[in-house]
Amino acid sequence: MKADTRHLTLPFFDEAHRALGQQLSEWAPAQTVDESDDRRACKEWVGLLGRSGWLRYCVPAGPDGAWGGALEQLDSRALVVLRETLAFHSPLADFAFAMQGLGSGAITLAGTPAQQAAYLPAVASGNKIAAFALSEPDAGSDAGAMTTSANLSGSDWSLNGCKTWISNGGIADFYVTFTKTDMGAGTRGITAFIVDADNPGLDSSEHIAVMAPHPLATLKYSSCLVSDTARLGALNGGFKLAMQTLDIFRASVAAAALGMARRALAEAVRFAHERRMFGQTLADFQLTQAKIGEMAALIDAAALLTYRAAWLRDDSERKGAGARATAEAEDRRDRTVAAAMAKMTATENAQRVIDMALQMHGGLGVKIGTKVESLYRDIRSLRIYEGATEVQQLIIGKSVLQS
């Protein structure tokens, strides 16, 4: 099934985005990956996406194109177009793409030239799989409660603690790991490090099985030594770096939800035309037409918020540092709130759309192997990761009260 690209005619996008969406919508259906083993399949998707040039949109081009990126800087609308289209065809392909961007995003933002040269080209080509390690068993939404520590041991840093729910855990080549370097300072005491997967003292063998299979693991750090050259960004500046990274990709989470919702609607429309009952098709019943109409409206409402959030970030970047400096705090707040609205609305609406599509399929909807059944499992985690719905509500509500 080919994705519909008519939404790309909206004024949020330019011709480059439209061409990108069209190219990917033609490429994606032709790919065949056996996803019965999520870890093997995820590696295969990274390889396919890398060889075909799609991962080049996860990193900037860098000086003289040295980082391998397709564009001069990360483009939120390109990420939205790519994730929405990939998620329409395969949520696991979308996952593989997104984690390359999220896992390397902090290196793009704050890496030294040596770090950027060592990791970003390999991410863009698919030769290295990236991971973002922030969450802990007792520190998810409350990052300041993390207990994984990094302490100077001679000229190196010794990392000790545990990270969990880590996407690409067990298959990644490196983990951008957030630690406490000042245990009493809350979020002001967090520092990031790049930890290679083969580093002694790092154990990523504890895999986590979830309802929509994709690579997740718990990471254990036991006297895991890294040099100071592995420190990413400023000492005790890790929380700000983590939030900046998440802000870039939050609108793209909304786009992934949109892709899944659009696929559910397409499956519902196809089934409604094919399923016959009481001498007519399901599509002939007014109740079906009403449900289809509601699904379409929910998708378009979420799409407008998602595209606005991506456009706002790109527009802010285009204005340049001089223009941003005059109203930097207000500009950043507007972008953060727009991304929160998009993420909350798109994931919640997608859950409703997919549920309605499954209901429309009747018994087939819960049969393992049908597309709407897998979408029903795939969408659920998007309402939780990269900031649960309740966190987005708090971000939006606080902003409204302060305005």
Side-chain angles (χ1 to χ4, degrees), residues 233-304:
L235 183 67
N236 298 326
F239 179 75
K240 181 179 179 181
L241 178 58
M243 296 305 105
Q244 288 174 329
T245 305
L246 290 170
D247 263 357
I248 293 173
F249 292 95
R250 188 160 285 142
S252 78
V253 179
L258 273 179
M260 294 184 207
R262 289 193 193 280
R263 180 59 182 269
L265 176 58
E267 294 290 336
V269 169
R270 178 193 58 78
F271 184 77
H273 283 304
E274 294 176 357
R275 178 75 163 95
R276 296 195 64 81
M277 56 193 307
F278 302 110
Q280 57 186 340
T281 67
L282 194 60
D284 293 322
F285 289 91
Q286 285 188 329
L287 183 58
T288 301
Q289 296 162 14
K291 285 295 181 183
I292 293 290
E294 183 179 359
M295 293 161 73
L298 287 169
I299 290 171
D300 275 7
L304 291 174

Side-chain angles (χ1 to χ4, degrees), residues 279-347:
Q280 57 186 340
T281 67
L282 194 60
D284 293 322
F285 289 91
Q286 285 188 329
L287 183 58
T288 301
Q289 296 162 14
K291 285 295 181 183
I292 293 290
E294 183 179 359
M295 293 161 73
L298 287 169
I299 290 171
D300 275 7
L304 291 174
L305 286 174
T306 301
Y307 304 154
R308 180 189 70 165
W311 181 86
L312 279 173
R313 183 183 178 278
D314 289 344
D315 184 61
S316 178
E317 293 298 317
R318 283 195 303 272
K319 289 176 181 176
R324 287 201 306 274
T326 58
E328 184 176 357
E330 184 176 349
D331 180 60
R332 191 187 313 115
R333 185 186 70 177
D334 289 346
R335 288 160 48 189
T336 297
V337 171
M341 286 183 174
K343 203 269 185 182
M344 178 191 74
T345 304
T347 56

Side-chain angles (χ1 to χ4, degrees), residues 93-136:
D94 164 67
F95 169 88
F97 174 86
M99 289 306 110
Q100 289 294 91
L102 182 64
S104 64
I107 301 175
T108 294
L109 292 172
T112 65
Q115 290 169 339
Q116 291 164 334
Y119 292 96
L120 296 183
V123 168
S125 65
N127 290 328
K128 283 185 183 292
I129 295 178
F132 181 86
L134 178 65
S135 297
E136 297 186 3

Side-chain angles (χ1 to χ4, degrees), residues 176-234:
V176 171
T177 303
F178 295 85
T179 70
K180 276 287 185 70
T181 41
D182 185 343
M183 296 302 292
T187 57
R188 291 184 173 86
I190 296 173
T191 303
F193 294 87
I194 305 171
V195 183
D196 290 324
D198 60 0
N199 198 307
L202 171 60
D203 179 1
S204 61
S205 63
E206 187 179 325
H207 299 168
I208 302 172
V210 289
M211 62 192 292
H214 60 280
L216 283 174
T218 293
L219 311 179
K220 295 177 181 177
Y221 301 80
S222 180
S223 299
C224 180
L225 295 178
V226 296
S227 69
D228 195 54
T229 59
R231 179 165 55 85
L232 185 55

Side-chain angles (χ1 to χ4, degrees), residues 48 75 95 98 103 119 151 177 215 233 261 310 314 324 349 362 391 394 398:
L48 279 171
D75 185 279
F95 169 88
Y119 292 96
N151 297 290
T177 303
D314 289 344
R324 287 201 306 274
N349 283 11
V391 173
L394 288 174
K398 286 180 179 180

